[in-house]
Amino acid sequence: MVDAVHVESEFAPLRTVVLARSEFATPADARNSPETRFLPDPGAIAFTGDLRDADPARQSRWEAERDALGEVLVSYGVEILRPRLLTSAEKAFTGSAGYANFFARDPFFTIGDHVIEGSMRFAHRRVEVLPMRGLFAERVLTTGARYVATPMPEVPEEHDPALGPGPFLEGGDVLVLGRHVFVGTSGLASSPAGIAWLAHYLAPFGYTVESVRLRPDILHLDCALGLVREGLLVACPDAFLDGIPERLRAWDRIEVSLAETARLATNGLPVDPDTYVTDPEFAHIGEQLKRRGITVEYVDFSVSRSFGGSFRCSTQPLRRTVDPDPAT
């Protein structure tokens, strides 16, 4: 019997999760691209081709980070699923744009019992959903979950820095709080057209979708905001053009700076409302969480963070539920 797919919130107990692979080939001229605008150190991607060939030692450390996170999650009873690796044909498909299979959060996302393929803005990430589809066949299509895809983005004009009108919709921008869904937009990832599509799709199921405007150097909403448990969040107030969303302003808040945001301070991962995973670089955040009664697990994620993503970015839940089986 395949367990039901359902994500109630960002902090409901994590039961089944997709954990990212570690594949990345840099786009040509990546350092002069909008794709590096959000990185604290663009020099982190100053290599040519696949990291596995350019720097095997760093590649090994990167893979070890993901394995260490998986071990922590398994110790809390979480089921880990891994996408396959990219094929040679998939790697060749995007040409000089490079390729990525490194942050499972973005190419698809789960809201309630809806599994939704995203629509990626950056060209090197457009095939990133393909290694996930075997998991969808095994773990989504065999359940009563709904499985849809965001419309394919339009072809951009040559030299368009925005890469066209989209629609773009990326999982790092999508935060779930029951029937309320926050979606960030900075101009680097999800677009108004993508958010409008999601709102239209989810409305018949009783969901409200709220657009959250971000500074143009913030990649995703989860780079500026993390929901730790009901009533508690980690956030960078300066990252929001209109302030922290009204629905969350009364919550207890651990604030971080823009500099910490660039290093992914808000991108920890709740295992459940009482357990949180973060990087030892953010031990000061961990101490504040501990004072609020939360158990903090530390995993060094420095290589993952150098590519612009951390714990939440590296995972995408298929089940986050208070009830172990929401179908019963």
Side-chain angles (χ1 to χ4, degrees):
M1 174 70 178
V2 174
D3 291 316
V5 170
H6 196 85
V7 170
E8 295 178 8
S9 70
E10 296 299 310
F11 43 78
L14 183 59
R15 304 189 185 280
T16 301
V17 71
V18 179
L19 176 61
R21 293 288 189 174
S22 302
E23 293 186 290
F24 181 38
T26 53
D29 197 29
R31 295 190 69 175
N32 297 314
S33 165
E35 299 166 21
T36 65
R37 193 188 317 166
F38 58 91
L39 293 175
D41 177 16
I45 60 170
F47 59 90
T48 301
D50 195 306
L51 180 67
R52 185 178 303 277
D53 301 318
D55 192 340
R58 190 177 176 204
Q59 175 73 32
S60 181
R61 294 196 305 273
W62 191 19
E63 293 176 4
E65 289 178 359
R66 266 63 189 278
D67 290 343
L69 174 59
E71 290 173 5
V72 169
L73 295 179
V74 167
S75 75
Y76 284 92
V78 179
E79 179 189 19
I80 304 293
L81 306 176
R82 303 298 295 268
R84 63 167 173 79
L85 298 175
L86 291 164
T87 66
S88 297
E90 289 164 349
K91 291 179 179 180
F93 181 76
T94 48
S96 64
Y99 52 80
N101 180 20
F102 62 174
F103 290 121
R105 178 65 55 167
D106 302 322
F108 82 100
F109 48 93
T110 313
I111 300 172
D113 62 356
H114 303 262
V115 175
I116 302 171
E117 287 193 16
S119 178
M120 308 294 288
R121 187 182 292 262
F122 295 155
H124 71 278
R125 303 195 68 185
R126 300 265 174 110
V127 299
E128 196 167 2
V129 73
L130 300 182
M132 311 289 179
R133 286 186 173 164
L135 296 179
F136 299 159
E138 295 174 6
R139 302 303 297 266
V140 178
L141 296 180
T142 52
T143 73
R146 295 169 175 84
Y147 169 32
V148 299
T150 309
M152 178 180 175
E154 295 183 29
V155 178
E157 296 293 335
E158 190 175 5
H159 308 305
D160 178 1
L163 301 176
F168 301 117
L169 192 58
E170 304 191 6
D173 277 318
V174 178
L175 271 66
V176 181
L177 183 61
R179 294 281 173 168
H180 196 95
V181 180
F182 303 96
V183 186
T185 178
S186 67
L188 282 175
S190 301
S191 65
I195 297 171
W197 175 85
L198 182 65
H200 177 78
Y201 169 72
L202 288 176
F205 303 100
Y207 286 88
T208 298
V209 174
E210 178 179 350
S211 177
V212 181
R213 297 194 309 143
L214 302 166
R215 287 170 49 107
D217 55 352
I218 303 293
L219 178 60
H220 291 130
L221 180 57
D222 65 7
C223 299
L225 173 66
L227 307 184
V228 179
R229 68 183 181 198
E230 185 73 31
L232 175 62
L233 58 83
V234 180
C236 175
D238 291 338
F240 299 87
L241 297 184
D242 305 307
I244 289 174
E246 178 67 32
R247 188 181 179 94
L248 303 174
R249 288 181 190 173
W251 284 29
D252 186 14
R253 181 190 311 171
I254 298 171
E255 295 190 1
V256 301
S257 67
L258 281 170
E260 290 175 310
T261 294
R263 301 196 303 275
L264 283 305
T266 68
N267 202 259
L269 182 68
V271 179
D272 55 49
D274 301 311
T275 314
Y276 188 81
V277 182
T278 191
D279 192 291
E281 177 164 339
F282 307 117
H284 61 293
I285 295 174
E287 289 304 311
Q288 294 182 70
L289 292 171
K290 288 179 181 178
R291 290 198 292 270
R292 291 164 168 85
I294 292 175
T295 297
V296 179
E297 298 280 359
Y298 291 105
V299 178
D300 184 339
F301 239 48
S302 54
V303 179
S304 299
R305 291 190 297 108
S306 73
F307 296 135
S310 192
F311 300 101
R312 187 179 191 272
C313 297
S314 299
T315 55
Q316 179 59 251
L318 287 180
R319 281 200 304 149
R320 268 195 183 276
T321 62
V322 174
D323 185 337
D325 184 356
T328 61

